[in-house]
Amino acid sequence: MSIKIDTKSAVTQTLLEQLQKHASKVEFMPNNEIVDAIRLLEDKGIPNNKHEDYKYCNIESVLRKEFKTVEQSFNELTHDDIAPLKLDEAINMVVVNGNYHLDLSEKMVVKRFNILPLNDLFPAEKNRIASLAKSKTDALIALNSAFTGNGFFLEIEKDAVLPMPIHIIYINSGKQNNVVNTRNFIHVRENAEVTIVESFYNLGTGKVFSNFVSEKLIDENAKLTCYTIQTENELTYSVNTNQVSVNKYANYTNTTLTLSGELVRNNHNVELVGENCEASLNGLFITNGNQLVDNHTLIDHQVPNCQSHELYKGIAKDKSTGVFNGKIFVRKDAQKTNAYQSSKNILLSDSATINTKPQLEIYADDVKCSHGTSTGKIDEDALYYLKARGIGDDNARKLLLQAFAQELINKLEIESLQERVLHLFEKAL
Amino acid sequence: MITIKNLHASIGEKEILRGINLEVKAGEIHAIMGPNGSGKSTLSSVLAGREDYDVTAGEVIFNGKNLLELSTEDRAREGLFLAFQYPIEIPGVSNINFLRTALNEIRAYHKQEDISAKDFLAMVKEKQALVELDAKLTNRSVNEGFSGGEKKRNEIFQMAMLNPKLAILDETDSGLDIDALRIVANGVNKLKSKDNATILITHYQRLLDYIVPDFVHILYKGRIVKSGGKELALEMEAKGYDEIKKEFEIAD
Ligand SMILES: Nc1ncnc2c1ncn2[C@@H]1O[C@H](COP(=O)(O)OP(=O)(O)OP(=O)(O)O)[C@@H](O)[C@H]1O
Ligand SMILES: [Mg+2]
């Protein structure tokens, strides 16, 4: 459809006009979502730091400074580019510049799951797109809905317990300034169980603004374990939104490791919609240089008897900034909620900052909610003890920081992934 | 081995060491006793290189090198070992990994190759047996959740692994039950040779029944006020510090 854009924000106006020039045709996004998207962007524009939720993360300014023009020109990728990124223990799927790439993806060796390009969906599947992530709620979801590429739809069949993880490799390969909107929908059906690794890379030579939206629907008694591995380079500015819905007796875990990227904004929005379900959100980030990593989590307890756990740890060096903003929303009906949140941080320089903000909004009276946050420096006594045994300053710090991070790295229950992450972690220190 | 001359050290405005003189030769065992707060742990911390203290005067020569100019880690690599009065807990760092890193860094300093995994494990086994340290403890995080006695034993285990030239044991005997005391003392005696030396800081004659010192020094208000043979420890045990305190009362 053709859209006339008339926004109050010049930055948004320029961006939308340029994106429209390059927009590819998508068949799956409901029209009303696109209309809502444009309306929201026209009214509110891309958020800047005046927007409470984007206080530390001025997306408008990034777009104004770094993405004045949008080229949308990309390098071709070959199997050789992908090979080192694969995980041996997993089925490797590839998404390039927002589009699910059949050729580069491995053929299915495991039954009972289906993966399809979004453009090839049947109406019954198509209906689910944008059922969780709504344009109306957030400008970046809106931007994605209006200009998304041809991502994938992944479904794990009822009762299927996948014997190996699925690894989705998202790669950007831009030559010049690009804006990439990647979208997917993951549906884990009743009683099914799966582990999904989502790794993000930028193999391009130009700057990229990567705006990722994933909808994850977990049916009754199903289990979805996700590992998000962010290792994009300093040319990458990314916003990543996971919009998750967890049904009765189901279980959702996400562990996000952010090891690089110039600007990384993560939105983990989890709705607990069925009784007795459980969600865990974990994260580890390490920032250096002028990097910004901004983690926002929202756990929405809508019904009684659900549990949520959150553990975020951050290490900030140089002049970098980290954020953990964790909101727990307990609605009036959500009695017997059990919610726990913890955020621990280490600052390695006087110019580094980590902002933590637990936000508990509790409208039910019979709940257990707790949160704790701490931000400090490296433990000098421990450092001295290690040195007194002959361990040099560098190694002593590494040992202590690795010890701090290990709890989160251990959550990745795939051996080669742990090794890979440990290696990247050491490199980032 | 080590020569300490007129060592003064303070923390903030407060002078804690007020002119320490001490010489320890290879093959010797020295005991340092003295009332609480007299500066015994401060002396060991200053020698080990803790940065909280300012050395305001004096010098320390350790094996021909100016000790005070070396970093904490280089002092350890040169063969100085301090068994802490209060060992630090380090959650998440395994004892084994910690010791292997320490050992290899010390070896690298002396231009030796890393120890092989096999040799390392054999050494761990041997030294563990020496101090009768539960094998389970070596796989846990450094000192985390260890009992007081286990921490002390772990210090001696580390000493056995790193094989220092000069070991300073700061009240390693306190908090040990009778059996543990015997085991630790036994370990120290077995590790003793004509090429290394030990400084024992202790409040109790009991330890000196097991590890017989060549010299005993009394530290009071930041100075060594009395030195003698092993009988001095017996004398102090019998009489207490009152006489010394009267004799050497100095204004703060
Ligand atoms: N970090 C510090 N800040 C302030 N005062 C200190 C510090 N460390 C030591 N002191 C003071 O220095 C003095 C000597 O302390 P030190 O620990 O060396 O005594 P000690 O002889 O080892 O005593 P103990 O027998 O109780 O172990 C004490 O008065 C103590 O309070
Ligand atoms: Mg002491």
Side-chain angles (χ1 to χ4, degrees), chain A residues 36-310:
Chain A
D36 285 350
I38 299 300
R39 202 169 284 155
L40 182 88
L41 290 165
E42 281 184 343
D43 278 2
K44 304 240 167 80
I46 299 288
N48 57 25
N49 55 0
K50 293 198 189 83
H51 193 298
E52 183 55 30
D53 282 344
Y54 289 85
K55 198 163 132 191
Y56 301 105
C57 187
N58 193 335
I59 307 280
E60 190 187 50
S61 133
V62 166
L63 291 170
R64 186 179 60 237
K65 286 187 197 144
E66 314 290 347
F67 296 90
K68 236 177 252 150
T69 58
V70 176
E71 302 283 334
Q72 306 300 66
S73 58
F74 303 98
N75 292 308
E76 285 292 315
L77 293 178
T78 66
H79 282 280
D80 289 347
D81 296 318
I82 310 299
L85 312 181
K86 288 185 177 181
L87 283 174
D88 284 347
E89 297 99 321
I91 311 164
N92 296 279
M93 300 293 169
V94 181
V95 175
V96 179
N97 301 314
N99 301 306
Y100 173 51
H101 202 301
L102 270 169
D103 273 357
L104 293 176
S105 297
E106 285 173 358
K107 301 297 157 271
M108 280 176 248
V109 291
V110 170
K111 289 195 183 117
R112 312 199 56 194
F113 83 93
N114 311 301
I115 185 161
L116 281 170
L118 287 169
N119 268 338
D120 298 356
L121 298 184
F122 292 113
E125 295 154 344
K126 227 193 297 197
N127 282 343
R128 281 170 248 169
I129 307 303
S131 62
L132 304 178
K134 298 279 189 195
S135 292
K136 274 184 197 154
T137 56
D138 176 85
L140 279 305
I141 293 177
L143 186 70
N144 184 289
S145 297
F147 299 104
T148 177
N150 184 17
F152 67 85
F153 177 92
L154 171 64
E155 185 175 50
I156 314 298
E157 290 179 13
K158 183 166 179 280
D159 301 326
V161 177
L162 291 207
M164 60 202 296
I166 300 172
H167 180 207
I168 302 156
I169 308 171
Y170 299 94
I171 310 173
N172 291 321
S173 70
K175 286 182 189 161
Q176 293 271 353
N177 292 6
N178 293 302
V179 173
V180 173
N181 287 290
T182 303
R183 183 96 178 196
N184 71 42
F185 194 104
I186 294 172
H187 191 172
V188 187
R189 294 284 199 166
E190 230 174 288
N191 307 322
E193 281 182 30
V194 63
T195 296
I196 296 177
V197 185
E198 297 184 272
S199 302
F200 295 80
Y201 292 94
N202 182 7
L203 301 184
T205 47
K207 282 182 192 147
V208 62
F209 182 80
S210 167
N211 182 29
F212 172 82
V213 175
S214 175
E215 298 178 84
K216 294 180 165 102
L217 176 59
I218 309 166
D219 285 352
E220 200 173 315
N221 201 40
K223 184 174 178 189
L224 172 61
T225 304
C226 284
Y227 306 137
T228 303
I229 315 295
Q230 299 175 316
T231 61
E232 289 160 300
N233 58 15
E234 64 287 352
L235 295 168
T236 310
Y237 303 78
S238 73
V239 181
N240 308 276
T241 303
N242 274 285
Q243 191 71 43
V244 185
S245 177
V246 191
N247 284 282
K248 262 198 280 187
Y249 293 101
N251 187 306
Y252 172 66
T253 301
N254 174 280
T255 302
T256 294
L257 281 84
T258 311
L259 301 159
S260 54
E262 190 59 19
L263 177 147
V264 182
R265 165 63 181 246
N266 294 318
N267 297 317
H268 289 281
N269 304 325
V270 181
E271 296 183 351
L272 306 181
V273 299
E275 281 195 46
N276 297 297
C277 72
E278 193 175 337
S280 305
L281 298 180
N282 311 304
L284 171 71
F285 57 93
I286 169 158
T287 56
N288 48 42
N290 287 314
Q291 219 188 326
L292 167 70
V293 173
D294 183 358
N295 293 293
H296 275 233
T297 65
L298 165 62
I299 297 189
D300 182 359
H301 283 264
Q302 300 185 354
V303 293
N305 297 311
C306 296
Q307 295 197 29
S308 66
H309 319 270
E310 286 179 86

Side-chain angles (χ1 to χ4, degrees), chain B:
Chain B
M1 173 81 48
I2 194 165
T3 310
I4 304 169
K5 278 187 202 152
N6 188 33
L7 184 65
H8 287 252
S10 18
I11 191 152
E13 293 290 285
K14 190 175 169 195
E15 184 167 57
I16 300 171
L17 301 184
R18 311 175 182 216
I20 302 267
N21 293 292
L22 181 67
E23 169 146 28
V24 177
K25 297 204 178 78
E28 293 178 348
I29 295 179
H30 289 237
I32 298 180
M33 303 179 84
N36 293 130
S38 58
K40 304 180 298 295
S41 293
T42 303
L43 174 62
S44 36
S45 299
V46 168
L47 295 179
R50 180 143 204 152
E51 281 161 11
D52 305 358
Y53 302 92
D54 294 322
V55 175
T56 49
E59 70 168 358
V60 181
I61 305 297
F62 180 55
N63 289 323
K65 293 209 163 97
N66 183 348
L67 185 79
L68 300 175
E69 274 182 357
L70 300 176
S71 64
T72 304
E73 53 269 36
D74 279 350
R75 296 178 195 199
R77 293 163 181 170
E78 286 285 344
L80 184 86
F81 181 92
L82 169 62
F84 284 60
Q85 182 174 4
Y86 304 108
I88 310 291
E89 299 195 11
I90 314 183
V93 176
S94 81
N95 243 328
I96 282 288
N97 190 18
F98 157 61
L99 271 174
R100 189 174 29 224
T101 310
L103 194 63
N104 283 333
E105 286 214 25
I106 292 171
R107 291 170 70 97
Y109 183 79
H110 295 286
K111 309 217 161 25
Q112 292 167 328
E113 279 180 19
D114 280 5
I115 187 168
S116 74
K118 189 165 153 265
D119 291 350
F120 179 72
L121 287 177
M123 190 169 163
V124 166
K125 245 190 176 156
E126 183 203 327
K127 307 298 183 190
Q128 237 165 18
L130 184 74
V131 294
E132 297 180 31
L133 187 76
D134 190 336
K136 271 186 246 123
L137 293 180
T138 41
N139 290 316
R140 291 213 332 233
S141 291
V142 178
N143 295 324
E144 191 188 26
F146 285 28
S147 76
E150 286 169 344
K151 283 181 186 166
K152 296 299 174 82
R153 240 191 265 199
N154 195 29
E155 294 290 289
I156 301 304
F157 169 60
Q158 291 173 31
M159 175 178 118
M161 289 292 294
L162 303 180
N163 190 26
K165 292 197 186 105
L166 174 65
I168 305 168
L169 310 188
D170 190 357
E171 294 198 30
T172 302
D173 53 333
S174 58
L176 290 182
D177 63 39
I178 299 291
D179 289 340
L181 182 71
R182 199 176 27 75
I183 292 161
V184 163
N186 197 22
V188 173
N189 285 331
K190 278 194 186 147
L191 295 168
K192 181 180 150 49
S193 80
K194 64 177 180 14
D195 302 317
N196 61 25
T198 310
I199 298 176
L200 298 171
I201 294 172
T202 182
H203 286 293
Y204 305 105
Q205 160 61 29
R206 202 179 55 174
L207 176 69
L208 307 180
D209 287 340
Y210 294 102
I211 310 173
V212 182
D214 300 297
F215 300 94
V216 174
H217 310 277
I218 310 300
L219 189 71
Y220 181 57
K221 292 207 167 174
R223 284 193 191 129
I224 289 179
V225 294
K226 204 164 186 181
S227 295
K230 59 177 193 277
E231 15 11 281
L232 182 57
L234 287 164
E235 189 189 324
M236 287 300 136
E237 179 112 317
K239 294 204 280 193
Y241 293 117
D242 272 359
E243 222 169 88
I244 298 247
K245 282 186 182 169
K246 262 186 220 138
E247 194 177 338
F248 295 95
E249 202 53 59
I250 2 176
D252 279 303

